[in-house]
Amino acid sequence: MRLRLLVCAVVFSLLALGAARADELKLKIIAFNDFHGNLQSPGKFKANAQSPGVEAGGVDFLAGYVRHLKRENPNNVVVAAGDLVGASPLVSSLFHDQDTIEAMDRLGLEFSAVGNHEFDRGKKELLRKQYGGCFKPDGTQCEDAAGDSASFKGAKFKYLAANVFDTSTGKTLFPGYGVKTYDGVKVAFIGLTLKGTATIVVPSGIKGLRFGDEADAINGIVRKLRKQGIESFVVLIHEGGAQTTKGTPDINACEGGLRGTPIEGIVHKLDDAVDLVISAHTHQAYICQVANRTGRKIVVTSADSYGRLLTDIDVTIDTKTKDVTGITARNIVVDRTNEVGIAPDAELKEIVDHYAEVAAPIANRDVGSITADISKTLNPAGESPLGDLIADAQLEATSSTGSGGAVAAFMNVGGIRMDLPFTSNAAGVKGGSVTYGELFTIHPFGNTLVTMTLTGAQIKTMLEEQFKGCALESPGDGVSAPSTDRILQVSEGFTYTWSLDGAVCNKVDSSSMKINGTRVDPSAKYRVTVNNYLSDGGDQLSVLKQGTDLLGGPLDLDALAAYFAKHRPVAPGEPHRIGIKP
Ligand SMILES: [Zn+2]
């Protein structure tokens, strides 16, 4: 019987690659995450510490790899775990990321979880990404900058949002799951974002939305669908972990077993019926096995970011029990050097080239120069040369009496997306020159500056709230305090010292807080500048919502460009504004 089955299987697999044994179904899941509008290759990628790095990514090659993998098994699905768009390079952002949505449809994406960055431009714009329509609701901006798509039709793939609730209706913003049927076997894909999304996006854009517990949302759907006879469950979740390896971890390893990371905590609570977790958010690569609530280990994957990796997952399902019986997963580099004979998608290449051409004059415009690399890497006190520069640019843009009268500026580290390299990759740009495209990549969110009045005591509170565990007010139901320190970058003239072992909400030494050498008086009033993400209470700096006499300023990007235009060349400074006591 066994032998006959085996012979059968061989013959069968020759006929249809998708089937193994008569009572088995083979399904191929092709997954990626955190694409962030990287239609063009972001550069070299190393698959492990020994790798010299290869040119990786670019949606043309990503699509080529997807097509290649799909050919291996007609029972397939392409899925993503969030942050497809948002914090995107100019080639995507300039066109409101519509070109990325179009490219995702062309490469065959079927389901994607929403990630935190899907909410960067607010709920309305995310709904437009799914359902289509003009960028401006009054119809004045229906055509994109490339002159295409008189009206944007929206994504064909389905966004999933199992834990994002409209507080007025109690319903989820998008469906929580999608189901595909293969040879009569139903497989459910459940998609969701991290519960903490509300603490890391502009609060005004997500008014009326509640981000619920991840495991509760997943388990609720599993219970419901099992009653309908579904037994195969795949989770697409925009939350993740990281390997403990220092340097470059192997993309297929799981050093440290994800212990102590947010995704481990979620998997520990999952219903035993969940078979596979495709994770994201941390821009890390791993293939792990993590215990669920019964102690059974399930596969948890993540494919780094920017379309440089794909996870190739082969799933075996028993057609009688309709349940998953085996999973093998591996991360593969989307290698553009083409040694494995995978061709890029010619049509997508043409589309991306077209958008890049429209964006090129804007992207390559010379806006300034630098004398050396300016890095966003933080020193132990939490300060970086690029953070200093950006805070200075924001102070300069808002310091005159007419523009706000600011005496200090504070910038969130999450809003600084890229280093400023002395040698740019952009074609035809010589060393030291700074392009608009580079500044755009640093500040892709379109945030504006806001100058407000705070007391010295409120500034002290703000500095305390940037440390883990000291959020004075919870911004929403079920939202926890920041899980890591988010130290603000400060402008020239503002100095202070904090203690590593200081108590929660008492880490900053008040007597060390100075503006241009003068001690900050708790009861005096100061004009300070932040961006609208922070003034809205972003990063859980809730005290900033108490600022008075608010004055709107320019875009953060315009302030930075103006700074580079005025100071030419700009040299990286030595961080010295924030002090730390061990
Ligand atoms: Zn994310």
Side-chain angles (χ1 to χ4, degrees):
M1 197 62 182
R2 261 272 183 254
L3 188 67
R4 224 188 63 202
L5 258 176
L6 195 70
V7 174
C8 250
V10 172
V11 174
F12 212 82
S13 61
L14 288 173
L15 292 172
L17 280 163
R21 286 189 347 213
D23 56 355
E24 261 185 7
L25 168 80
K26 292 273 190 193
L27 166 64
K28 186 176 281 294
I29 300 175
I30 304 158
F32 59 97
N33 54 275
D34 296 276
F35 182 73
H36 289 288
N38 279 259
L39 296 170
Q40 296 173 299
S41 166
K44 283 198 169 172
F45 184 81
K46 292 180 180 189
N48 53 53
Q50 290 76 43
S51 162
V54 290
E55 287 296 325
V59 80
D60 51 350
F61 269 90
L62 187 68
Y65 273 74
V66 167
R67 189 174 45 202
H68 175 82
L69 290 171
K70 280 181 148 205
R71 282 204 195 111
E72 291 179 5
N73 186 344
N75 291 325
N76 58 56
V77 64
V78 185
V79 297
D83 283 5
L84 291 172
V85 294
S88 312
L90 203 62
V91 70
S92 184
S93 302
L94 196 59
F95 311 107
H96 315 300
D97 287 315
Q98 288 176 196
D99 47 353
T100 293
I101 299 288
E102 188 183 352
M104 290 296 117
D105 279 334
R106 276 177 186 269
L107 71 72
L109 180 65
E110 291 176 71
F111 301 113
S112 178
V114 292
N116 53 298
H117 282 288
E118 259 79 24
F119 294 92
D120 279 350
R121 307 275 165 155
K123 174 179 105 173
K124 252 195 188 155
E125 174 60 6
L126 175 55
L127 289 170
R128 191 184 75 88
K129 294 266 162 49
Q130 179 73 81
Y131 301 116
C134 300
F135 180 69
K136 288 204 174 153
D138 62 1
T140 53
Q141 212 172 332
C142 282
E143 281 188 12
D144 62 32
D148 292 340
S149 64
S151 80
F152 173 60
K153 299 281 189 302
K156 289 197 198 82
F157 67 83
K158 297 275 185 297
Y159 268 125
L160 303 175
N163 66 337
V164 186
F165 300 96
D166 188 315
T167 50
S168 60
T169 64
K171 293 204 174 108
T172 55
L173 182 66
F174 295 114
Y177 63 92
V179 176
K180 278 197 80 177
T181 307
Y182 302 91
D183 294 344
V185 178
K186 287 188 165 137
V187 180
F189 299 87
I190 301 169
L192 68 167
T193 184
L194 66 154
K195 184 175 77 178
T197 294
T199 69
I200 48 175
V201 299
V202 177
S204 56
I206 50 162
K207 266 209 182 100
L209 294 179
R210 184 175 69 84
F211 296 82
D213 182 80
E214 301 93 343
D216 287 350
I218 296 164
N219 292 343
I221 289 173
V222 167
R223 272 195 300 277
K224 176 176 135 183
L225 295 182
R226 285 192 76 197
K227 285 185 193 140
Q228 299 170 21
I230 297 177
E231 290 296 338
S232 294
F233 293 96
V234 177
V235 168
L236 313 172
I237 183 165
H238 193 74
E239 177 60 290
Q243 301 192 51
T244 48
T245 323
K246 293 226 160 57
T248 313
D250 187 298
I251 57 171
N252 284 304
C254 186
E255 222 38 73
L258 301 181
R259 273 183 290 281
T261 66
I263 193 67
E264 188 207 33
I266 295 166
V267 176
H268 276 350
K269 294 195 277 179
L270 289 185
D271 190 302
D272 196 32
V274 172
D275 302 288
L276 167 68
V277 174
I278 293 164
S279 68
H281 188 53
T282 50
H283 295 201
Q284 299 288 315
Y286 46 82
I287 302 287
C288 290
Q289 302 254 356
V290 178
N292 69 10
R293 75 178 179 201
T294 70
R296 186 174 71 94
K297 289 196 165 182
I298 61 170
V299 175
V300 180
T301 70
S302 188
D304 201 89
S305 61
Y306 305 153
R308 296 174 295 191
L309 289 189
L310 278 173
T311 313
D312 174 16
I313 308 164
D314 290 312
V315 180
T316 309
I317 299 172
D318 184 320
T319 53
K320 287 204 193 77
T321 63
K322 319 240 184 260
D323 201 359
V324 171
T325 54
I327 291 175
T328 57
R330 59 173 186 141
N331 278 320
I332 49 179
V333 178
V334 176
D335 182 347
R336 296 183 68 83
T337 55
N338 207 16
E339 274 160 16
V340 279
I342 290 169
D345 182 302
E347 222 179 318
L348 262 175
K349 186 185 176 327
E350 210 171 287
I351 291 169
V352 173
D353 286 350
H354 169 69
Y355 281 105
E357 207 179 291
V358 179
I362 302 165
N364 295 336
R365 204 174 79 222
D366 180 285
V367 292
S369 64
I370 49 178
T371 59
D373 291 352
I374 303 186
S375 162
K376 71 181 180 73
T377 303
L378 303 173
N379 69 4
E383 183 181 349
S384 77
L386 186 56
D388 284 355
L389 188 160
I390 287 168
D392 289 348
Q394 299 189 351
L395 177 61
E396 192 169 279
T398 54
S399 61
S400 72
T401 338
S403 63
V407 295
F410 302 96
M411 174 65 194
N412 57 307
V413 278
I416 306 171
R417 304 297 294 187
M418 196 193 78
D419 292 329
L420 204 47
F422 182 75
T423 312
S424 166
N425 316 331
V429 178
K430 63 180 188 342
S433 153
V434 175
T435 67
Y436 186 77
E438 286 176 314
L439 298 191
F440 190 92
T441 312
I442 291 172
H443 279 339
F445 299 114
N447 284 334
T448 55
L449 301 185
V450 179
T451 304
M452 61 172 72
T453 300
L454 292 179
T455 64
Q458 286 172 323
I459 294 175
K460 163 82 158 63
T461 303
M462 174 188 77
L463 296 179
E464 295 293 353
E465 284 182 330
Q466 63 188 349
F467 296 104
K468 195 162 90 182
C470 183
L472 297 185
E473 174 198 317
S474 180
D477 197 12
V479 172
S480 53
S483 54
T484 51
D485 299 338
R486 296 169 185 162
I487 296 177
L488 294 163
Q489 303 301 292
V490 305
S491 57
E492 179 67 35
F494 188 90
T495 50
Y496 75 98
T497 301
W498 62 279
S499 313
L500 205 51
D501 56 4
V504 170
C505 296
N506 196 21
K507 284 184 182 291
V508 174
D509 173 5
S510 316
S511 68
S512 72
M513 288 169 49
K514 288 177 183 158
I515 295 177
N516 298 322
T518 307
R519 207 175 135 172
V520 173
D521 174 354
S523 56
K525 290 178 172 175
Y526 299 93
R527 295 289 285 166
V528 305
T529 296
V530 294
N531 60 31
N532 63 310
Y533 168 73
L534 291 175
S535 71
D536 247 10
D539 275 7
Q540 296 226 325
L541 301 175
S542 55
V543 72
L544 289 175
K545 289 197 285 190
Q546 297 165 20
T548 54
D549 297 318
L550 267 58
L551 182 70
L555 281 169
D556 53 3
L557 177 61
D558 292 345
L560 190 57
Y563 186 86
F564 274 103
K566 195 170 164 195
H567 307 270
R568 197 177 178 121
V570 173
E574 195 59 53
H576 63 279
R577 302 169 188 179
I578 306 176
I580 185 170
K581 271 191 281 188

